[in-house]
Amino acid sequence: DGGITQSPKYLFRKEGQNVTLSCEQNLNHDAMYWYRQDPGQGLRLIYYSQIVNDFQKGDIAEGYSVSREKKESFPLTVTSAQKNPTAFYLCASRAGGEDKNTEAFFGQGTRLTVV
Amino acid sequence: DQQVKQNSPSLSVQEGRISILNCDYTNSMFDYFLWYKKYPAEGPTFLISISSIKDKNEDGRFTVFLNKSAKHLSLHIVPSQPGDSAVYFCAASAHAGGTSYGKLTFGQGTILTVHP
């Protein structure tokens, strides 16, 4: 089945620790995105990548880092510099390239809780 | 700088009636618009989209209208069903180059409740 997979579904982290959220897609999409959702809030863009080995900061990139070494993978690291990391994190992918007007497909999300 | 805004946090309608969800944007570079539906603790699912070269797109019970001069789009659901109760997000993207190229920006969402 083609799709986008986020793991783990639930993640607990101690304060001061870095943690990496996984996002894998087998849709052969060029573009990938990371969003954060807080209770009662919309989806805020953290980082996005249009192509392998390239990525751009979104609206709330501080305290986060990403890599895009492979087309199918876009891991997000939440660093200890992120002041309020507890949130629901969503990864998405989109065809991109010449297929510019397409929808983005989302994973099921990772709930990160700092304890 | 909220470039995509959904100013109504919630909407309540009766089953069978029309639901109208609104969205405003400020970035004139946006040229493709999408609506998503989301349940708690799940990823959003795509509903319908519209390109800036059109002013209307229809798919079954869902119709999206785009008014470029007003930088406004709306989603109409007719007839509304209890199963439509969810959070609805509008989103916009730009492909005309510049710093926003490929960026997909979402609004804050509107909670739709359809009462039986």
Side-chain angles (χ1 to χ4, degrees), chain A residues 4 23-34 47-56 65-77 91-97:
Chain A
I4 180 164
C23 180
E24 303 278 333
Q25 55 98 0
N26 59 5
L27 300 167
N28 199 33
H29 285 169
D30 288 312
M32 296 187 75
Y33 304 81
W34 273 106
Y47 269 97
Y48 63 110
S49 167
Q50 296 296 297
I51 197 168
V52 175
N53 293 322
D54 188 37
F55 49 83
Q56 291 77 42
S65 66
V66 293
S67 63
R68 188 82 189 278
E69 297 175 359
K70 297 186 296 181
K71 187 176 186 178
E72 59 270 22
S73 179
F74 192 41
L76 173 75
T77 296
C91 179
S93 71
R94 193 181 188 194

Side-chain angles (χ1 to χ4, degrees), chain B residues 15-16 26-27 29 34 47 49 58 64-65 82 86-87 95 101 109 116:
Chain B
E15 182 179 6
T26 57
N27 189 341
M29 301 295 282
L34 310 92
L47 278 175
S49 62
E58 199 170 349
V64 56
F65 296 92
V87 180
H95 293 94
Y101 180 82

Side-chain angles (χ1 to χ4, degrees), chain A residues 9 33 35 37 40-43 45 48 50 58-59 88 90 94 97 100-109 111, chain B residues 1 31-32 34 36 38 41-46 51 87 89 93 95 99-109:
Chain A
K9 191 169 178 64
Y33 304 81
Y35 294 88
Q37 186 184 23
Q41 300 289 317
L43 304 181
L45 182 63
Y48 63 110
Q50 296 296 297
D59 301 313
F88 188 56
L90 285 159
R94 193 181 188 194
K100 61 179 186 179
N101 284 347
T102 59
E103 68 268 30
F105 293 83
F106 281 83
Q108 288 302 294
R111 170 79 57 190
Chain B
D1 177 24
D31 58 3
Y32 188 61
L34 310 92
Y36 282 82
K38 186 182 182 300
E42 294 183 7
T45 55
F46 171 74
S51 166
V87 180
F89 290 97
S93 66
H95 293 94
T99 57
S100 296
Y101 180 82
K103 189 177 180 182
L104 184 59
T105 303
F106 281 76
Q108 308 97 307

Side-chain angles (χ1 to χ4, degrees), chain A residues 5-45:
Chain A
T5 303
Q6 290 185 242
S7 61
K9 191 169 178 64
Y10 300 96
L11 189 57
F12 296 87
R13 189 196 91 176
K14 292 183 179 179
E15 280 194 46
Q17 287 183 339
N18 292 356
V19 64
T20 298
L21 282 62
S22 170
C23 180
E24 303 278 333
Q25 55 98 0
N26 59 5
L27 300 167
N28 199 33
H29 285 169
D30 288 312
M32 296 187 75
Y33 304 81
W34 273 106
Y35 294 88
R36 166 182 174 144
Q37 186 184 23
D38 294 283
Q41 300 289 317
L43 304 181
R44 293 187 291 168
L45 182 63

Side-chain angles (χ1 to χ4, degrees), chain A residues 101, chain B residues 4 20-35 48-58 63-76 90-93:
Chain A
N101 284 347
Chain B
V4 179
I20 300 176
L21 298 112
N22 294 301
C23 180
D24 298 294
Y25 62 96
T26 57
N27 189 341
S28 58
M29 301 295 282
F30 287 146
D31 58 3
Y32 188 61
F33 304 89
L34 310 92
W35 283 95
I48 192 168
S49 62
I50 188 166
S51 166
S52 60
I53 63 174
K54 296 184 176 181
D55 55 19
K56 177 183 175 181
N57 189 27
E58 199 170 349
T63 303
V64 56
F65 296 92
L66 175 62
N67 182 334
K68 288 186 290 294
S69 61
K71 293 190 176 67
H72 176 84
L73 63 154
S74 61
L75 174 68
H76 293 209
C90 66
S93 66

